[in-house]
Amino acid sequence: KCRKGPLDIVFVIDSSRSVRPFEFETMRRFMMDIISNLDVGPNTTRVGVIQYSSQVQNIFSLKTFFTRADMEKAINSIIPLAQGTMTGLAIQYIMNVAFTTQEGARPLHKKIPRVAIIVTDGRPQDRVTEVATQARNAGIEIYAVGIQRADMNSLRAMASPPLEEHVFLVESFDLIQQFGKQFQDKLCGVDMCVGQEHGCQHSCVSTPGSFYCECNPGYRLNVDGKSCSPIDACADGRHGCQHQCISTRGSYSCHCRAGYYLNQDKRSCSMIDYCSFRNHSCQHECVSIPNGHYCRCRSGFTLQPDTSSCRATDLCNGVDHGCEFKCVSTEGSYHCVCPEGQQLQADGKACGKCRAGHIDLVMVIDGSKSVRPQNFELVKQFVNHIVDMLEVSPHGTRVGLVQYSSRVRTEFPLNKYHSADEIKKAVMEVEYMEKGTMTGLALKHMVEHSFSELEGARPLSHNVPRIGLVFTDGRSQDDISEWARRAKESGIIMFAVGVGKAVEEELRAIASEPVEQHYSYSADFTTMAHLVENFKLNICPEEGKGMTEVRSPCECEALLQFQTNTVAILQSLTEKNILWACSLAQMTARLEALEKQVAHKK
């Protein structure tokens, strides 16, 4: 048997039409004689066979068979192609396909020789010199065996150096079997690992005229080329362990630091949740940390010395404050506050909203290009300020929103949301449309769709006021008169709000009677906050009742009235708390000085 170390051998057999059937049989015998004396197997010598003529056919690759019986059966089943002689094409195939790791060749770093045995009987019909050079440079050792009519120059162009050991010319097919025995001796050579002291710690691998040492799995060869050391699988940093990498022989395992456990991916770590053991005794919250836990109190409470119980420091959390909107703690006390656009009532707890009754309000906002994105955000804030002053509920006030430009889009109908928070959130998510200004089309959409019972408007028989608020910043590109008139005729109370280049004539056409109470204008988007209050006074009549006459703060009478009112308030406060007396005296003195200044000016 061939005692040479492992090889990757590929037979490249010429099956062109010049090879007669009985001649091809001698080539089969040649391959099987060589294979019968090889130590074939997955870890020893691997064998592949291809045949070629005008094309290349893979009979079996290096990874296909690992027994001589299977290989001989496949060789006996070869049907010659009987066409041209494209030897260069066959060399290209073994370089690009047959000797790849995907087809079973061992990696180059294993230093297992890659041997191609080309057997041909004629002159190639394509170029072989350049492709053979590329194959040899890729690490393939080429033996060129010519039979009978083969061209010697082509054989020499294909073979590896030294040529006298890699080029063979057999006079006839009858002599190929005898040549096979000679070729086998040359291919096998001497096992350099036998009969001498190689010094390899683990295993010796013989190569033509030499040998090299290999290490067992989990070890690497040292610089002396003979001894082996365990591989530290953690050293290259590619282990992926989150905390610690523990190297074992040829492998590794991940470990976690104290207080953590290894996840199912065997790499990442998660902190042990000590609170989940439910033995912490924390009154409010338990917080896990590595190797333990600690107790934490909710906002407004302080952790006590026993490190588990909590005591209220925020009076808003410790008493029944009764605030309608929000309670704000101060040192030793608290007070109630209301959302923007609402005022705290006399009881110090309730917040004032529009209580004019139930209404169906649809706001129609201009989303044309002239508004611009930053101003459109201000328009959305304007809408939310109006929502803040309304009592929104399914049975109270309902709110819908429509945006228009060159087209009209319902952002949400009257029956979509049932609380102010839901509406305000939806408003802030509205996307700016841009393009034109079709106000008439928007009015038509509002009349025909927005105030329909399908979209949430209460039936007219319920006598729930229907209010439409149109917000625009410029001249409409279509006629508004017809649908503004139809809106009012259908019972919708129309408000018109204009900003910037809005046309007064159009605003008046949209507004209900009396017009002066139903349309508003602001020169700039940033100064339109006062329009919210105007709208509030017109849809909430009680907001305007009992109000003090608005007068110039610079008039003498106004100053005197302010003094009188302030003194009355301070006197009332004094009766409640004598501790404020000092502050009252100081403020009274300042007011008397102000009165003297006013009298002097008169």
Side-chain angles (χ1 to χ4, degrees):
K1 297 296 182 182
C2 182
R3 298 178 62 82
K4 189 174 181 178
L7 299 172
D8 285 343
I9 299 177
V10 175
F11 289 94
V12 184
I13 304 302
D14 180 356
S15 65
S16 59
R17 66 175 64 91
S18 62
V19 180
R20 287 170 289 188
F22 72 90
E23 294 174 337
F24 192 80
E25 292 304 316
T26 63
M27 297 172 74
R28 287 188 213 266
R29 188 72 261 164
F30 167 74
M31 288 187 285
M32 289 190 287
D33 286 345
I34 299 294
I35 292 172
S36 66
N37 289 288
L38 294 175
D39 183 14
V40 297
N43 299 317
T44 52
T45 294
R46 299 182 182 182
V47 178
V49 176
I50 68 169
Q51 67 165 331
Y52 73 94
S53 58
S54 297
Q55 58 186 342
V56 179
Q57 182 185 31
N58 180 45
I59 305 304
F60 58 86
S61 63
L62 293 168
K63 66 179 181 180
T64 307
F65 301 124
F66 297 113
T67 65
R68 282 184 291 275
D70 290 335
M71 294 177 184
E72 290 178 2
K73 182 178 179 181
I75 291 172
N76 282 324
S77 66
I78 298 174
I79 299 175
L81 297 173
Q83 296 173 352
T85 310
M86 303 294 285
T87 310
L89 181 64
I91 297 173
Q92 185 78 45
Y93 181 87
I94 65 171
M95 180 174 61
N96 293 344
V97 180
F99 280 113
T100 61
T101 54
Q102 291 86 349
E103 290 296 305
R106 265 72 65 95
L108 290 173
H109 70 81
K110 294 280 189 180
K111 298 182 180 179
I112 294 175
R114 296 181 174 184
V115 178
I117 303 173
I118 302 175
V119 184
T120 179
D121 80 324
R123 182 189 300 273
Q125 294 177 335
D126 57 355
R127 295 180 179 180
V128 297
T129 303
E130 182 179 350
V131 69
T133 301
Q134 293 174 358
R136 294 194 299 269
N137 291 340
I140 301 173
E141 184 180 4
I142 300 177
Y143 288 89
V145 180
I147 304 176
Q148 202 165 294
R149 299 172 292 274
D151 177 56
M152 177 58 76
N153 290 331
S154 298
L155 297 177
R156 295 172 66 85
M158 292 186 286
S160 297
L163 296 179
E164 60 271 16
E165 295 184 8
H166 292 83
V167 176
F168 305 93
L169 184 62
V170 183
E171 293 181 359
S172 70
F173 282 93
D174 295 335
L175 300 175
I176 195 169
Q177 187 172 2
Q178 180 181 352
F179 162 76
K181 296 178 181 179
Q182 299 172 356
F183 181 78
Q184 176 181 310
D185 294 339
K186 184 172 287 295
L187 181 65
C188 290
V190 178
D191 189 342
M192 301 299 291
C193 293
V194 177
Q196 62 175 321
E197 183 59 38
H198 51 73
C200 296
Q201 182 180 353
H202 286 180
S203 59
C204 174
V205 179
S206 180
T207 61
S210 184
F211 69 90
Y212 66 90
C213 298
E214 274 193 347
C215 297
N216 296 333
Y219 292 82
R220 66 165 177 269
L221 196 65
N222 293 327
V223 292
D224 62 4
K226 296 180 182 294
S227 60
C228 300
S229 298
I231 296 173
D232 184 358
C234 298
D236 61 5
R238 293 182 296 178
H239 49 77
C241 297
Q242 184 178 354
H243 285 183
Q244 300 169 347
C245 177
I246 306 299
S247 183
T248 56
R249 183 173 297 179
S251 185
Y252 68 91
S253 60
C254 297
H255 288 224
C256 297
R257 294 192 295 269
Y260 293 81
Y261 64 89
L262 194 65
N263 293 322
Q264 290 185 351
D265 61 7
K266 302 301 182 183
R267 286 179 170 79
S268 61
C269 300
S270 295
M271 189 172 66
I272 297 172
D273 185 3
Y274 290 96
C275 294
S276 64
F277 301 156
R278 300 190 180 278
N279 59 353
H280 49 74
S281 73
C282 296
Q283 182 181 352
H284 284 182
E285 299 173 0
C286 175
V287 180
S288 285
I289 57 175
N291 299 321
H293 73 279
Y294 68 90
C295 296
R296 182 173 62 191
C297 296
R298 293 192 295 270
S299 177
F301 292 82
T302 302
L303 191 65
Q304 297 304 292
D306 63 4
T307 69
S308 60
S309 59
C310 301
R311 183 173 60 82
T313 53
D314 183 349
L315 290 179
C316 289
N317 288 329
V319 299
D320 183 13
H321 53 75
C323 296
E324 179 181 338
F325 177 68
K326 184 178 180 180
C327 175
V328 177
S329 288
T330 57
E331 187 174 354
S333 184
Y334 69 91
H335 64 274
C336 301
V337 296
C338 294
E340 185 178 358
Q342 300 182 33
Q343 293 184 346
L344 195 64
Q345 300 301 293
D347 63 0
K349 297 181 179 182
C351 297
K353 285 190 176 182
C354 178
R355 303 181 185 278
H358 305 163
I359 62 171
D360 287 343
L361 171 63
V362 175
M363 288 178 273
V364 183
I365 59 175
D366 186 348
S368 61
K369 186 176 182 180
S370 60
V371 174
R372 298 179 183 270
Q374 63 272 26
N375 290 332
F376 190 73
E377 294 303 312
L378 296 176
V379 173
K380 293 197 289 187
Q381 293 177 21
F382 172 82
V383 170
N384 278 347
H385 287 326
I386 291 176
V387 174
D388 278 334
M389 70 184 190
L390 301 172
E391 291 280 5
V392 178
S393 69
H395 302 292
T397 291
R398 299 181 183 180
V399 178
L401 183 65
V402 173
Q403 184 185 175
Y404 73 95
S405 57
S406 298
R407 56 190 179 87
V408 184
R409 181 173 73 205
T410 297
E411 300 296 351
F412 51 86
L414 288 166
N415 56 4
K416 177 72 172 179
Y417 300 114
H418 306 307
S419 72
D421 287 341
E422 289 179 309
I423 293 173
K424 290 167 67 176
K425 182 177 183 294
V427 169
M428 296 312 296
E429 292 174 354
V430 170
E431 295 183 359
Y432 179 35
M433 294 175 69
E434 298 189 287
K435 298 190 177 179
T437 311
M438 303 294 284
T439 313
L441 184 64
L443 290 169
K444 180 177 184 292
H445 181 90
M446 180 194 71
V447 173
E448 293 184 340
H449 300 286
S450 301
F451 282 109
S452 67
E453 293 184 25
L454 183 65
E455 294 201 2
R458 267 75 64 99
L460 293 173
S461 60
H462 290 190
N463 294 320
V464 176
R466 296 182 173 183
I467 297 178
L469 187 152
V470 179
F471 184 100
T472 181
D473 84 321
R475 183 181 296 276
S476 176
Q477 295 174 336
D478 60 351
D479 180 60
I480 66 166
S481 58
E482 179 182 356
W483 286 101
R485 175 179 55 79
R486 288 196 187 188
K488 288 177 278 191
E489 288 176 352
S490 66
I492 302 172
I493 303 169
M494 296 298 299
F495 287 83
V497 177
V499 177
K501 296 181 180 180
V503 180
E504 181 180 358
E505 180 183 353
E506 292 185 353
L507 298 176
R508 287 179 169 273
I510 295 171
S512 294
E513 294 290 343
V515 173
E516 300 301 331
Q517 293 183 13
H518 291 80
Y519 96 94
S520 303
Y521 174 80
S522 178
D524 186 77
F525 283 90
T526 59
T527 60
M528 62 183 184
H530 69 281
L531 301 180
V532 177
E533 192 64 26
N534 291 346
F535 182 71
K536 179 179 180 180
L537 293 174
N538 283 292
I539 68 168
C540 305
E542 76 279 6
E543 299 288 346
K545 294 179 181 178
M547 294 182 63
T548 304
E549 180 185 1
V550 178
R551 305 174 67 179
S552 171
C554 297
E555 293 180 7
C556 179
E557 292 84 351
L559 289 172
L560 292 175
Q561 184 64 46
F562 173 74
Q563 177 189 11
T564 302
N565 293 343
T566 303
V567 171
I569 293 172
L570 289 174
Q571 287 176 345
S572 174
L573 291 174
T574 302
E575 293 173 358
K576 295 181 180 179
N577 194 338
I578 194 64
L579 294 177
W580 293 357
C582 182
S583 297
L584 173 61
Q586 292 175 355
M587 186 173 290
T588 303
R590 291 179 61 186
L591 291 172
E592 289 175 350
L594 179 61
E595 181 182 2
K596 291 178 181 179
Q597 290 177 11
V598 173
H600 180 70
K601 288 181 180 180
K602 291 184 67 176

